[in-house]
Amino acid sequence: MKIDEFSRWVRERQEDVEHALERWVPDQSPAGLGIAMRYAVLDGGKRLRPLLVLAASDAVSGDRASALRAAVAVELIHAYSLVHDDMPCMDNDVLRRGKPTVHIKYGEAQAMLAGDAMQALAFEVLTPDAGMPPELMSTLVRLLARASGHAGMAGGQAIDLASVMMGAACGPADDAALAALSEYGAAVGLAFQVVDDVLDVTQDSHVLGKTAGKDVDQNKPTFVSLLGLGAAQKYANDLRDQAHAALARSGLGQAAYLACLADKIVERDN
């Protein structure tokens, strides 16, 4: 796939997600809660997880309206997790996406409530009154709930695999394709974490949009601290190769965007 074509697809899908977030995240809520929610989720981030949802849906010729709802729900869960992770009781960070974190801007209580509200809104987005088959609705809710709970994100796991599988659920795919997409999602999810650890020690806060070096300062185990910088970078490249190999086994003829996203995730440290 040509770089210009992929770049255009990314730009268009990012705009789709941003416009949907603007529509579905309320600006009118009690005690200014909607303002804090919109501050947390709008106008920031690369939207890589929504892009994974939409690319996986495209790969299986999925329903675009349902996939967009799934993409927005994933981003809401991601944003809620960042708001809570940044709070003083967790990572105690003051910078996120190049601006003050939500608790710095609006206070700890408002940040906690905004995160809770975005988590609930994610499932509201997945359960519209009309326009989505009940079976698909149930599948998407199940996938997101499991990815967000004690065995998933709340327990320290990435949500990237769920992003891929939610997109795949929006269209027809046989067992072999689903198994391959699951392998792809696991590989890119792990690659994302590895590259994040690399960036934490190789980039400054201005570039990252968040406080750099916090993992080292807090003596957290990372792929870089365990493997060394060079080996961690090689591991990320190996995971990208695994993701590409999984797509090759999938039998899906429209997986080019997923392949390009794997490259995009790993090349963030270049």
Side-chain angles (χ1 to χ4, degrees), residues 224-245:
V224 173
S225 66
L226 294 172
L227 302 177
L229 179 58
Q233 291 170 319
K234 181 181 183 303
Y235 187 33
N237 290 329
D238 291 343
L239 288 166
R240 176 184 55 193
D241 294 342
Q242 291 176 27
H244 281 291

Side-chain angles (χ1 to χ4, degrees), residues 154-231:
Q157 301 301 310
I159 200 171
D160 309 277
L161 173 57
S163 301
V164 175
M165 301 315 292
M166 288 174 72
C170 294
D174 59 27
D175 290 344
L178 289 175
L181 288 174
S182 179
E183 291 180 35
Y184 167 90
V188 297
L190 187 53
F192 197 101
Q193 294 181 63
V194 175
V195 173
D196 261 7
D197 288 350
V198 169
L199 292 174
D200 191 60
V201 300
T202 59
Q203 303 290 344
D204 59 28
S205 299
H206 176 73
V207 173
L208 294 178
K210 59 183 180 179
T211 305
K214 283 188 70 71
D215 291 340
V216 174
D217 293 342
Q218 297 175 359
N219 200 30
K220 288 184 177 180
T222 68
F223 285 101
V224 173
S225 66
L226 294 172
L227 302 177
L229 179 58

Side-chain angles (χ1 to χ4, degrees), residues 10-50:
V10 167
R11 187 166 57 251
E12 290 174 351
R13 298 295 80 76
Q14 287 172 331
E15 290 174 355
D16 290 343
V17 171
E18 196 71 27
H19 292 158
L21 285 166
E22 289 174 352
R23 291 197 307 271
W24 292 333
V25 179
D27 57 358
Q28 299 296 324
S29 292
L33 183 58
I35 296 173
M37 293 167 65
R38 291 173 70 85
Y39 178 86
V41 75
L42 294 179
D43 301 322
K46 299 179 178 65
R47 311 299 190 200
L48 283 172
R49 291 162 189 86

Side-chain angles (χ1 to χ4, degrees), residues 86-107:
D86 288 338
M87 293 185 66
C89 60
M90 295 288 284
D91 291 345
N92 193 25
D93 215 331
V94 299
L95 188 66
R96 173 69 65 179
R97 291 173 171 173
K99 58 186 182 182
T101 49
V102 178
H103 72 274
I104 294 295
K105 179 78 172 179
Y106 295 102

Side-chain angles (χ1 to χ4, degrees), residues 104-144:
I104 294 295
K105 179 78 172 179
Y106 295 102
E108 292 182 34
Q110 196 79 328
M112 181 67 73
L113 290 172
D116 291 344
M118 286 190 293
Q119 181 187 42
L121 180 59
F123 293 97
E124 183 178 342
V125 166
L126 289 178
T127 54
D129 293 333
M132 186 184 293
E135 184 177 352
L136 175 56
M137 196 183 301
S138 174
T139 298
L140 293 175
V141 167
R142 182 178 71 252
L143 287 168
L144 189 58

